[in-house]
Amino acid sequence: MVKLVLILGDQLSEEVSALREADKACDVVVMAEVADEAGYVPHHPKKIAFIFAAMRKFARQLEEAGWQVRYTRLDDDGNSGSIAGELLRRADETGAKEVIATEPGEWRLISALEDVPIPVHQFPDDRFLCAHDEFDDWAEGRKELRMEYFYRQMRRKTGLLMEDDKPAGGKWNFDHDNRKPAPDDVDFGGPMHFTPDDTVEEVLDLVEARFGENFGTLRPFWFATDQGQARRALSHFIKQALPRFGDYQDAMLQENRFLYHSVISMYLNAGLLGWREVCEAAEAAWRSGDAPINAVEGFIRQIIGWREYMRGIYFREGPEYTARNILRYDRSLPAFYWTAETDMLCVAKAVEQTREEAYAHHIQRLMITGNFALLAGIDPAEVHEWYLAVYADAYEWVEAPNVIGMSQFADGGIVGSKPYVSGGNYINKMSDYCGDCAYSVSKKTGEGACPFNLLYWGFLDRHRDRFEKNPRMAQMYRTWDKMDAERRRTVLADAAAVLERLDAGDRV
Ligand code: FAD
Ligand code: DLZ
Ligand code: SF4
């Protein structure tokens, strides 16, 4: 009996479990560009174009490999607009009575598949290293779910950077050698760019017509859209940038949007690259003496550590995770997250680059846009929707734990043992933004004082009860308490004035 095999826009790999469970001789692959998936948040046009173009190319790859594929384009007559609707339509056409799927990366879609009136078997997404039950076993009984310990287990499991049962280089983690301030010169020209081919051009026209009003610039479009291109982009990074990845991982520069980052998250998350090939390529660079251990360990940790850990948290915490709001914040997301119209140069630059590239690197996401939202008390659900919409690599399984957990502390400390907040000094140390900013980073109060400085103390003061006893924050409270009372009052009044300006919609 014929079965349908669902392949979603972020499951573009011949290794996915649904294909392994299917029978090429008789089963029919279903892929569909649908309004529901393209519209559940206002995705960046580059993200939609990337997914549609990569889907079209992958469908062709499957056909060439001998699969029967029923592919729905967004503007096809009869497109029902949803994944469930397309499955039912294809079931009617083919007489199929059941569906084989790989578990989606969002609770929303998992439950939509459960509600389809014909049986949908959701097989585990074993493109990931750590299965849900393995993560739960690791987490069970632990007081704190610290990524570092999870990561060590993943190192042992994979054998990556291991020498017998010891970590290569004698340490699990080389972060002590990383995180240098921004360099004057960057000798890496950024990620590999790909000229759009006919398939991509056709998708770009469609996306322009249908999603041209969404936040984000569509052209120039330079992403890889198939496995071969993504592998070239990976090799380019390994050769040209990996050696300095660790050193400048946390640096930010106005005129360099990518520094030594890999810019492969959208390829990994969509299935064009797998964690193993990426990590093995990095390890090989270290073994051949082409990249130092601090860079390679740091890079591999992001993938088998942070990426897998975040996914574990998302599935362990359940569908309500995205609604967490432990600090009870309800301020609306400021308009400048969409317009970049703010005098805070760091924020303006991060938003501008997000608008143009559908990409910002980790420290921009965490310590600029994320830090500001947390300091200003923005509703985490709004922050979550923004991140889910604007980045080409954003799917809830990875975006939500990064935003709700790591960046906004809205989960109360499951992901991070303390909130990631900082004043302007940290941003100034790690970037070249402050010298050209309308605000003065060295001014702590009064006209022209950096809003990060003011809001930082406002945040600590507001949440004293919650954070004062946290040993990682004790030093911050000691510094605050050493200021004389009059100065503290001025800082808090100035911080309140910044928030009033935000609420009034005045330029900040
Ligand atoms: P590199 O810096 O080169 O790192 C290599 C790879 O490690 C990345 O490609 C990614 O796959 C992985 N990685 C690194 N950090 C993380 C992390 N914290 N969580 C998961 N994987 C990680 N990443 C996403 O893939 N999708 C998101 O929607 C997303 N939203 C984020 C939101 C916030 C507020 C923050 C702070 C981080 C978010 N991240 C997200 C994590 C990280 O910022 C991106 O993975 C990274 O910036 C992608 O760029 P890159 O490929 O150049 O990464
Ligand atoms: C993100 C996305 C978009 C924009 N469009 C589609 C689509 O039209 N068809 C599809 O199958 N998948 C799409 N996706 C990816 C899904 O939203 C993704 O599979 C879920 O969010 C689960 O991670
Ligand atoms: Fe950002 Fe403050 Fe520096 Fe301006 S002075 S760039 S607002 S940290």
Side-chain angles (χ1 to χ4, degrees):
M1 180 65 93
V2 59
K3 296 190 187 101
L4 299 181
V5 188
L6 175 66
I7 302 291
L8 294 165
D10 56 351
Q11 298 177 340
L12 308 180
S13 155
E14 291 199 45
E15 318 280 296
V16 288
S17 52
L19 287 172
R20 278 206 318 273
E21 295 291 333
D23 181 351
K24 204 187 263 187
C26 59
D27 294 340
V28 175
V29 173
V30 175
M31 297 180 69
E33 299 166 10
V34 291
D36 276 9
E37 295 308 309
Y40 66 91
V41 287
H43 301 284
H44 194 297
K46 273 196 168 82
K47 176 182 182 185
I48 303 178
F50 164 63
I51 291 170
F52 285 5
M55 282 173 72
R56 290 183 185 193
K57 290 190 178 186
F58 186 66
R60 216 172 302 135
Q61 182 183 326
L62 288 180
E63 278 168 347
E64 281 162 12
W67 290 94
Q68 274 190 72
V69 181
R70 303 257 167 142
Y71 190 96
T72 310
R73 291 182 171 212
L74 190 74
D75 50 6
D76 279 353
D77 289 342
N79 185 333
S80 63
S82 71
I83 295 295
E86 285 312 280
L87 286 173
L88 290 178
R89 200 160 69 92
R90 299 308 188 187
D92 267 359
E93 282 172 14
T94 58
K97 299 270 181 288
E98 53 187 298
V99 180
I100 304 172
T102 304
E103 182 186 71
E106 301 194 357
W107 289 111
R108 173 188 64 78
L109 207 48
I110 291 175
S111 83
L113 292 186
E114 284 164 357
D115 292 344
V116 174
I118 54 172
V120 180
H121 307 281
Q122 301 191 41
F123 290 92
D125 190 346
D126 52 14
R127 286 176 298 162
F128 292 89
L129 168 61
C130 184
H132 301 331
D133 51 2
E134 185 182 354
F135 189 83
D136 290 344
D137 284 350
W138 172 78
E140 209 46 54
R142 284 175 194 261
K143 242 171 69 201
E144 290 187 326
L145 303 184
R146 292 295 147 247
M147 196 288 298
E148 184 63 29
Y149 298 109
F150 169 78
Y151 163 60
R152 290 178 193 180
Q153 183 161 316
M154 294 302 109
R155 285 271 295 279
R156 290 196 183 95
K157 179 178 174 181
T158 56
L160 283 164
L161 294 182
M162 294 299 290
E163 282 165 351
D164 300 322
D165 58 348
K166 299 264 178 333
K171 282 195 293 187
W172 290 104
N173 181 318
F174 286 81
D175 252 2
H176 181 67
D177 305 339
N178 290 339
R179 306 184 163 168
K180 298 188 173 54
D184 291 334
D185 278 330
V186 175
D187 57 7
F188 174 54
M192 186 172 269
H193 282 37
F194 298 88
T195 308
D197 56 23
D198 291 347
T199 305
V200 178
E201 280 297 353
E202 205 179 347
V203 166
L204 293 179
D205 289 343
L206 169 76
V207 171
E208 191 158 50
R210 293 286 293 270
F211 306 100
E213 301 299 307
N214 287 14
F215 166 89
T217 315
L218 179 61
R219 291 187 169 91
F221 181 90
W222 51 267
F223 294 170
T225 47
D226 59 46
Q227 194 182 51
Q229 290 181 342
R231 285 185 174 157
R232 284 168 58 204
L234 170 66
S235 314
H236 171 74
F237 161 75
I238 299 278
K239 284 203 194 79
Q240 312 281 337
L242 177 63
R244 304 185 86 185
F245 171 84
D247 289 350
Y248 301 117
Q249 205 177 333
D250 287 3
M252 297 172 280
L253 283 175
Q254 285 181 57
E255 297 308 325
N256 194 310
R257 294 171 166 180
F258 306 101
L259 280 116
Y260 294 94
H261 290 275
S262 64
V263 198
I264 56 161
S265 47
M266 65 275 215
Y267 309 143
L268 268 168
N269 297 351
L272 301 185
L273 293 174
W275 66 266
R276 185 181 292 281
E277 62 184 315
V278 172
C279 293
E280 284 178 355
E283 182 177 30
W286 172 65
R287 294 208 182 271
S288 60
D290 293 324
I293 187 77
N294 68 308
V296 173
E297 185 283 314
F299 181 71
I300 286 178
R301 176 162 20 97
Q302 306 309 310
I303 293 170
I304 63 166
W306 280 111
R307 184 169 183 267
E308 295 283 336
Y309 167 84
M310 290 303 195
R311 180 169 181 270
I313 297 282
Y314 178 74
F315 282 101
R316 184 175 164 77
E317 291 301 314
E320 305 311 317
Y321 186 72
T322 53
R324 305 258 169 104
N325 187 359
I326 197 98
L327 302 177
R328 296 173 188 276
Y329 282 164
D330 61 3
R331 182 163 279 110
S332 300
L333 190 75
F336 58 68
Y337 276 78
W338 302 106
T339 62
E341 285 171 15
T342 165
D343 291 334
M344 295 179 286
L345 191 71
C346 54
V347 178
K349 287 287 171 188
V351 174
E352 269 169 35
Q353 109 161 46
T354 300
R355 185 166 60 202
E356 281 165 35
E357 313 289 8
Y359 175 86
H361 63 70
H362 188 69
I363 288 302
Q364 294 171 306
R365 298 188 205 198
L366 187 63
M367 298 311 291
I368 306 291
T369 41
N371 185 16
F372 186 84
L374 178 55
L375 293 179
I378 309 299
D379 179 349
E382 289 199 27
V383 182
H384 152 64
E385 286 215 355
W386 184 79
Y387 278 97
L388 191 56
V390 302
Y391 292 113
D393 56 20
Y395 306 91
E396 218 177 76
W397 66 265
V398 55
E399 174 276 337
N402 269 296
V403 173
I404 296 290
M406 181 186 267
S407 161
Q408 300 301 294
F409 202 80
D411 67 0
I414 297 171
V415 169
S417 56
K418 76 172 193 46
Y420 281 94
V421 284
S422 84
N425 278 348
Y426 171 82
I427 297 172
N428 191 31
K429 185 174 127 208
M430 300 311 293
S431 78
D432 67 351
Y433 296 134
C434 300
D436 295 323
C437 182
Y439 290 105
S440 163
V441 73
S442 58
K443 261 192 109 175
K444 310 295 180 200
T445 56
E447 187 71 24
C450 165
F452 282 86
N453 291 340
L454 299 167
L455 295 176
Y456 173 72
W457 295 121
F459 175 91
L460 289 186
D461 185 67
R462 188 158 73 234
H463 297 297
R464 181 157 209 143
D465 287 352
R466 182 178 293 277
F467 296 128
E468 181 175 39
K469 300 222 160 50
N470 183 326
R472 299 185 62 200
M473 298 182 75
Q475 181 55 41
M476 301 172 185
Y477 280 101
R478 274 198 293 277
T479 310
W480 177 232
D481 290 342
K482 271 193 215 137
M483 276 185 220
D484 73 61
E486 182 54 32
R487 186 165 171 80
R488 283 203 304 259
R489 266 195 297 280
T490 310
V491 170
L492 293 181
D494 286 1
V498 172
L499 296 178
E500 273 167 34
R501 275 159 56 207
L502 274 184
D503 292 341
D506 293 344
R507 191 175 172 101
V508 171

